[in-house]
Amino acid sequence: MRVRDVRAYPHRVTAQLFSLEALGWDDSWRELASAYDGCGDPGRIVRVDRGLFGVATREGLVRASLGGAVLDALAKDAGAAPCTGDWCVVREWCDGPVTVEAVLPRRTAVTRAEAGGTSRGQVLAANIDVAAVVVALHPEPRLARVERLLAIAWASGARPMVVLTKADLVMDADLIAEDVRVVAPGVEVICCSTVSRRGIERLGAMSGEGRTIGLLGASGHGKSSLVNALAGAEVLAVERIRADGKGRHTSVRRELVLTPGGGSVIDTPGLRGVGLQQAETGLSSAFPDIVALAQQCHFADCGHEDEPRCAVLEAVGEGRLAVRRLDSWRALRREAASMGTRSAARRRRALGKRPRRLATRQRETRRGVGR
Ligand SMILES: Nc1nc2c(ncn2[C@@H]2O[C@H](COP(=O)(O)OP(=O)(O)OP(=O)(O)O)[C@@H](O)[C@H]2O)c(=O)[nH]1
Ligand SMILES: [Mg+2]
Ligand SMILES: [Zn+2]
């Protein structure tokens, strides 16, 4: 393949050739993209920055804006906004600009409820193979946070895992990991440190050959540091000074970075409030213990509050299920239910508009007739 002169193409950020295979390109993506033959070349979005999209294509990294068809889709559904990790078709126009002409359907997506309490989802990372929940070992992790993030990780459709960071700061990393394992049934939990490099190789092995790890977690827990450790270079900014001890958000962009193992990793900005979206699936996967117990409850629609012959409450009473875990499940379920109600209300409002206008018109017509 020809390497073209970057200077001649201002929208071309680098002439570094990307192997699309390392980015996860395979036969089924090829087939999906074939619907757009003649519209442009395939590429993967590696960065989203204020309406501009960095797209890795076989011929280099290009900076693209959105094409007409994608803008149209976006006007109808905000969830159609391309995000880091999306596979797309980009077109290079002869006068220079590059546009994203189509976004291929996502295999997996990490979605969170939008800030401000709306029930609309915001996609944080697309087409990841592993959804890694990143939580620092110091200060000691809050188990409810792990459970909440795991529900989101499960809902993404990717394989969830937990990465406990900053292992160098605690003496009892393995003991804390044991506690975390209890709230993460069926999920691999590993301890890492970017200082001692513990666990980095193991994590790196998960982003081998075309596989993508997505990192999600609150600000300051070491996501960008992990990306740098995995990439073997300082590719992302990491917060150095923490004057007030509270921490501000260092990463504001979502970036996909290639790893030496032949795969990639997506860093997401720290999540402050992480609302649940598509929560029902995520919730039942994150709490298989409660789901299994619930099957033994006397009432099929048991809410495990104060119902008679409730197997979940019995398990709590006998110490087989931690009451803290049931509390977490209740809180997340309430939240998911209110999200569901809110999106239903929005749907009703959207549907309600037309009949209301129609009714007004009918009133006006009637008034006109009466006059
Ligand atoms: N001791 C120790 N410090 C770490 C480790 N990993 C990260 N840190 C420190 O933790 C702080 C936050 O790390 P970041 O990588 O910026 O965290 P982040 O999750 O990307 O944060 P946001 O970008 O705000 O979401 C920095 O001061 C890092 O140097 C580690 O393994 N050990
Ligand atoms: Mg960061
Ligand atoms: Zn019950």
Side-chain angles (χ1 to χ4, degrees), residues 13 37 40 53 57 87 90 98 130 132 210 230 245 253 256 271 274:
V13 190
D37 272 352
F53 299 83
T57 69
W87 281 99
V90 289
V98 183
V130 175
L230 288 171
R253 299 193 204 96
L256 182 147
L271 304 176
V274 207

Side-chain angles (χ1 to χ4, degrees), residues 252-316:
V252 287
R253 299 193 204 96
R254 315 178 210 306
E255 298 211 38
L256 182 147
V257 171
L258 289 170
T259 56
S264 55
V265 55
I266 298 182
D267 188 31
T268 64
L271 304 176
R272 206 182 292 258
V274 207
L276 284 174
Q277 192 77 20
Q278 306 158 341
E280 281 306 326
T281 29
L283 212 54
S284 46
S285 307
F287 292 85
D289 42 358
I290 294 187
V291 171
L293 285 167
Q295 279 165 3
Q296 316 294 319
C297 291
H298 181 66
F299 296 109
D301 62 346
C302 185
H304 325 306
E305 296 287 348
D306 48 14
E307 290 87 344
R309 292 159 71 188
C310 167
V312 175
L313 294 174
E314 275 167 23
V316 170

Side-chain angles (χ1 to χ4, degrees), residues 219-220 222-225 236-239 249-252 267-270:
S219 185
K223 298 179 296 299
S224 302
S225 306
L236 296 184
V238 165
E239 188 176 7
H249 293 261
T250 306
S251 306
V252 287
D267 188 31
T268 64

Side-chain angles (χ1 to χ4, degrees), residues 3 40 55 77 103 128 138 146 154 164 186 202 230 243 260 271 287 308 311 313-314 339 342 370:
V3 182
V55 184
D77 172 16
V103 177
I128 55 169
H138 181 85
V146 177
W154 276 108
L164 298 172
R202 189 147 157 221
L230 288 171
L271 304 176
F287 292 85
L313 294 174
E314 275 167 23
M339 282 290 169
R342 261 185 267 170

Side-chain angles (χ1 to χ4, degrees), residues 165-169 192-195 217-226 237-240 242 248-251 267-270:
T165 57
K166 311 193 188 183
D168 56 288
L169 295 182
C192 280
S193 165
T194 54
V195 173
S219 185
H221 284 247
K223 298 179 296 299
S224 302
S225 306
L226 275 181
V238 165
E239 188 176 7
R240 293 195 190 284
R242 216 168 244 256
R248 62 199 150 78
H249 293 261
T250 306
S251 306
D267 188 31
T268 64

Side-chain angles (χ1 to χ4, degrees), residues 111-122 273-277 339:
T111 312
R112 68 149 161 181
E114 238 169 32
T118 70
S119 55
R120 212 167 270 146
Q122 184 192 9
V274 207
L276 284 174
Q277 192 77 20
M339 282 290 169

